[in-house]
Amino acid sequence: MSDAMIEFREVTKRYAGLVANDRLSLTIRRGELMTLLGPSGCGKTTALRCLTGTIRPDAGRILLDGRDVTEVATHQRELGMVFQNFALFPHMTVRDNVGFPLMIRNLRKEARATRVQEALRLVRLEGYAEHYPRQLSGGQQQRVGLARALVYRPKVLLLDEPLSNLDAKLREEMRFEIKEVVTRLGITAMYVTHDQAEALALSDRVAIMNRGRLQQLGTPEEIYETPNSRFVAEFIGLSNFLEGRVASVRGATMTVTASGLSIHTPSLPEVAPGHKVLLFVRPNEIEILPAATPADTNVFPARVEKTTYLGDTMDYRLMLGEGVELRVQADARHRYGAGESVRLRWPRVRSWRANEE
Amino acid sequence: MTLLKAYLRGLREGWFVLGYTLCVCLSVFILAPFLMIALRSVGKGWFGKLWLPPQLTWDWYRWAIEVGNIPEVMKNTLIIGVIAVAVSTVIGIFAGWAFGRRQLPGKELLMAIVLLPRMIPPITYALGVAKIFYTLELVDTHLGVALAHVSVCAPFAILVLSATFEGLDERVLEAASVCGANTVKRFFYVVLPLIMPGILASMLFSFTHSYNEFTLTLLTYGPNTVTLPVRTYLAVGDGYWEITSAMAVIMVVPSLAILAMIQRRAKPEKLVGGFKGV
Ligand SMILES: Nc1ncnc2c1ncn2[C@@H]1O[C@H](COP(=O)(O)OP(=O)(O)OP(=O)(O)O)[C@@H](O)[C@H]1O
Ligand SMILES: [Mg+2]
């Protein structure tokens, strides 16, 4: 038995004039919760629909549990899915909605009732069995959708932005509930979202998509700590970018000149002086020090332009050297005011090779 | 100042009274002929300048039913109505599905053609139908008359059912498939219940149309397929006003029953089966 539960192999789907999925290759392991993350319109739902079989990819294969299902009809793929817009059956009560997959599978009535009861308890909707979808709030409908997807214990659960219609508090609650349920039942889950916080909090691995392509695949830490492109870095969290040229390479470190500053950073493979690179620092990875701090490696003078109080942190906009604007988030206990001169220490700088124009 | 205000208020109330009076007059105007017929159907010895009939009687109804052979006629009307409804609904379901669910090339033109029988004068249309039916020997058969009715009932069914199918949520159907339902189960458990209000509405409308249809029946009926409107019309020729009136009233009763049914059952929100949160 192989380790892969879901496999996209070079899946391509074109719509008139645009490629919604562009040679998408992705493997989701058994029991894993993978998040598909990307901006609106990048082809996440399209990928899920290729997997459910409601649309046919123009090219590529899709494997479920080692079996090629590209030509298999939707109803034979044995998937559970929570839809972006609930898609409950409006003419059925909550009980019948949740019981639908069981009824289709000709489960006996008593067995069905117990399973439905179980599923409703799981999503904490026991009291609503006789309600119709239109009588429920958005969050409750969403949970009915989850119960319907889980009720026949599918091996694979797909969730298409299942929390997008909920308020912030409920979203947070449901996030952990879903994670808990999926882990407890040992389901392989593919979770689609465009909310990066959700993706980081939930997933075993995150797949970042952009314009129908896979940009990066990795654990939440990998994605956050070592983004492989400017797109990923920008999409996951705030970032500062600086363009520069390599001045010298000395073993594992190199010196980059950017906006008149000499910045030390771990060197890149096959990099030579003169190469163009893009430097990247997270706002919470910069330390703000008093102006009197002695000069050192990666310590630069700057001036505070604007401050914003965010509760536990302060958000600073600083001007560095020759007109480079930086964003820094630091502890709110020690504050600097606008106009104040400070020194910034960059303990950690990452870089990528940039294209030469 | 106060005088002016009082005057304005008077004017406003005057308008209200006037409007109300007009509404009542209109109702009377609409209802008057019917009241007249209803009265005549139960009046006896109602001649000359009398305001109201001097005597009331059910005799005319007995006469109407016996002489006019109403049970037979009613049976014809119902058989024709049921056939017309069945055929129109089946046509409506298929055409409505095509119109509502598919990207048809030239959709507007097709819809216009479908609605054509309703637009051209019935008599013009009826003449053509009659001509064809004579050659096909469909005249004076229940099926023939019903088929003639279909030409006006089906456009209605198609119109109503196209809207119904258009309102079907694609994502709900997708959900049914993902839940494991094949095409047949999906149709019976999800599609059919969701379009049922539309089907009922189209059946009701088709039936009332067939039931009231006169022109098309007149040119395709025969001794074995006399319907209520035609029988009533023929009775006028016989010259017995009281009996004709009784027939007319008999004819109205099922229509009123259907109207009551529609008012009771067909709630607008039931017709669309919409749901919150999308
Ligand atoms: N049926 C369709 N016909 C034509 N274009 C489509 C169709 N469905 C999707 N698209 C296009 O394909 C692209 C990807 O759509 P998709 O629904 O997969 O986006 P998404 O990543 O799910 O976005 P969101 O986060 O907003 O749900 C979009 O640009 C969309 O306009
Ligand atoms: Mg989507």
Side-chain angles (χ1 to χ4, degrees), chain A residues 45 84 160-161:
Chain A
T45 301
Q84 194 163 3
D160 194 355
E161 308 199 20

Side-chain angles (χ1 to χ4, degrees), chain A residues 15-16 18 20 38-47 49 84 160-161 194:
Chain A
Y15 287 116
L18 105 174
S40 191
C42 72
K44 306 182 295 291
T45 301
T46 305
R49 296 181 76 205
Q84 194 163 3
D160 194 355
E161 308 199 20
H194 56 230

Side-chain angles (χ1 to χ4, degrees), chain A residues 37 195-197 199-200 206 208 220 223-225 227 230-239 280 282:
Chain A
L37 180 65
D195 179 338
Q196 44 121 343
L200 294 181
V206 182
I208 301 211
I223 295 279
Y224 186 81
E225 297 296 334
R230 179 171 183 148
F231 174 82
V232 174
E234 268 181 331
F235 201 74
I236 301 275
L238 296 165
S239 340
F280 141 70
R282 296 270 186 213

Side-chain angles (χ1 to χ4, degrees), chain A residues 60-332:
Chain A
R61 317 298 304 170
I62 291 175
L63 280 75
L64 260 176
D65 205 1
R67 188 166 73 112
D68 187 332
V69 295
T70 321
E71 309 295 334
V72 174
T74 301
H75 67 272
Q76 291 166 337
R77 294 195 187 189
E78 301 286 307
L79 302 163
M81 175 155 178
V82 182
F83 289 81
Q84 194 163 3
N85 290 287
F86 321 140
L88 301 179
F89 306 121
H91 61 293
M92 295 184 195
T93 59
V94 167
R95 181 193 304 289
D96 292 343
N97 260 285
V98 175
F100 186 79
L102 302 177
M103 183 192 63
I104 291 297
R105 287 170 178 77
N106 298 322
L107 214 72
R108 282 205 342 277
K109 219 166 184 170
E110 310 85 68
R112 214 194 297 169
T114 357
R115 294 272 283 273
V116 169
Q117 202 55 37
E118 244 169 63
L120 286 179
R121 191 160 49 239
L122 199 69
V123 295
R124 295 199 240 112
L125 279 177
E126 293 116 309
Y128 293 88
E130 302 310 325
H131 283 59
Y132 281 89
R134 62 173 176 277
Q135 298 169 315
L136 301 179
S137 74
Q140 290 165 335
Q141 291 187 42
Q142 197 90 69
R143 282 184 277 164
V144 175
L146 183 61
R148 183 179 65 181
L150 286 171
V151 74
Y152 79 96
R153 298 165 197 158
K155 283 179 288 182
V156 172
L157 178 65
L158 312 174
L159 305 110
D160 194 355
E161 308 199 20
L163 308 183
S164 54
N165 291 289
L166 311 187
D167 65 57
K169 191 167 167 295
L170 193 55
R171 195 179 315 176
E172 188 117 335
E173 263 178 51
M174 287 291 294
R175 190 193 284 173
F176 289 106
E177 238 163 81
I178 289 176
K179 170 96 177 164
E180 209 262 325
V181 166
V182 166
T183 318
R184 183 147 48 88
L185 303 182
I187 296 173
T188 307
M190 196 164 162
Y191 189 105
V192 164
T193 180
H194 56 230
D195 179 338
Q196 44 121 343
E198 213 166 279
L200 294 181
L202 270 176
S203 333
D204 296 317
R205 284 194 301 162
V206 182
I208 301 211
M209 278 183 72
N210 184 24
R211 296 209 209 135
R213 293 189 190 203
L214 185 64
Q215 275 286 341
Q216 190 173 1
L217 177 65
T219 63
E221 287 96 322
E222 282 165 3
I223 295 279
Y224 186 81
E225 297 296 334
T226 49
N228 67 3
S229 61
R230 179 171 183 148
F231 174 82
V232 174
E234 268 181 331
F235 201 74
I236 301 275
L238 296 165
S239 340
N240 296 297
F241 296 100
L242 270 178
E243 265 182 31
R245 274 188 195 281
V246 177
S248 63
V249 183
R250 211 171 299 115
T253 54
M254 63 181 182
T255 312
V256 176
T257 331
S259 309
L261 306 169
S262 253
I263 301 161
H264 293 256
T265 157
S267 69
L268 295 167
E270 291 167 24
V271 84
H275 281 164
K276 205 168 165 188
V277 290
L278 187 66
L279 302 176
F280 141 70
V281 195
R282 296 270 186 213
N284 57 359
E285 292 169 344
I286 299 178
E287 290 169 41
I288 306 186
L289 305 167
T293 313
D296 198 355
T297 0
N298 287 1
V299 173
F300 312 108
R303 188 162 44 81
V304 179
E305 290 287 317
K306 200 170 160 231
T307 68
T308 313
Y309 178 66
L310 296 179
D312 47 349
T313 53
M314 285 296 282
D315 185 89
Y316 297 97
R317 274 163 209 275
L318 302 118
M319 210 48 118
L320 182 72
E322 306 157 12
V324 181
E325 208 192 52
L326 277 188
R327 195 135 168 227
V328 176
Q329 284 183 347
D331 205 313

Side-chain angles (χ1 to χ4, degrees), chain B residues 9-251:
Chain B
R9 190 177 329 124
L11 200 65
R12 210 163 50 217
E13 267 166 25
W15 274 119
F16 176 73
V17 170
L18 192 67
Y20 195 77
T21 316
L22 275 175
C23 281
V24 171
C25 287
L26 190 65
S27 314
V28 172
F29 183 71
I30 290 171
L31 286 178
F34 179 68
L35 279 177
M36 172 86 180
I37 294 288
L39 265 182
R40 196 184 283 280
S41 73
V42 290
K44 199 171 182 183
W46 197 18
F47 306 112
K49 294 190 175 110
L50 290 175
W51 264 98
L52 286 171
Q55 260 181 299
L56 296 181
T57 175
W58 291 111
D59 279 356
W60 308 131
Y61 284 90
R62 203 162 44 77
W63 275 79
I65 289 168
E66 278 171 15
V67 175
N69 202 6
I70 292 295
E72 183 67 26
V73 170
M74 189 66 104
K75 204 181 88 194
N76 288 338
T77 314
L78 288 181
I79 291 174
I80 290 166
V82 167
I83 298 176
V85 166
V87 176
S88 327
T89 308
V90 171
I91 293 176
I93 289 177
F94 285 105
W97 180 78
F99 276 121
R101 309 285 309 159
R102 298 269 139 169
Q103 299 296 328
L104 289 181
K107 199 166 171 171
E108 282 76 20
L109 185 69
L110 273 176
M111 192 55 116
I113 291 174
V114 164
L115 291 178
L116 206 57
R118 305 230 29 103
M119 301 305 167
I120 56 184
I123 186 71
T124 315
Y125 196 75
L127 278 173
V129 169
K131 189 110 182 63
I132 298 169
F133 277 21
Y134 271 110
T135 39
L136 293 180
E137 294 188 350
L138 276 169
V139 169
D140 193 24
T141 58
H142 288 124
L143 182 67
V145 180
L147 284 181
H149 288 189
V150 165
S151 65
V152 290
C153 298
F156 246 103
I158 292 173
L159 210 60
V160 171
L161 286 165
S162 300
T164 308
F165 275 107
E166 229 160 75
L168 261 191
D169 190 342
E170 184 65 42
R171 294 167 300 191
V172 170
L173 305 189
E174 256 177 47
S177 298
V178 175
C179 282
N182 60 23
T183 320
V184 175
K185 285 182 174 173
R186 190 172 86 165
F187 180 77
F188 282 106
Y189 291 124
V190 181
V191 177
L192 198 58
L194 286 178
I195 60 170
M196 213 47 190
I199 290 182
L200 284 182
S202 111
M203 284 171 86
L204 272 176
F205 282 125
S206 301
F207 186 76
T208 32
H209 264 275
S210 161
Y211 184 84
N212 294 327
E213 182 51 50
F214 178 67
T215 323
L216 282 166
T217 319
L218 198 62
L219 285 163
T220 47
Y221 89 103
N224 300 316
T225 50
V226 181
T227 66
L228 268 174
V230 170
R231 187 67 197 87
T232 312
Y233 172 74
L234 293 176
V236 174
D238 295 343
Y240 292 104
W241 268 102
E242 287 81 359
I243 296 176
T244 317
S245 304
M247 283 179 184
V249 172
I250 291 173
M251 199 173 101

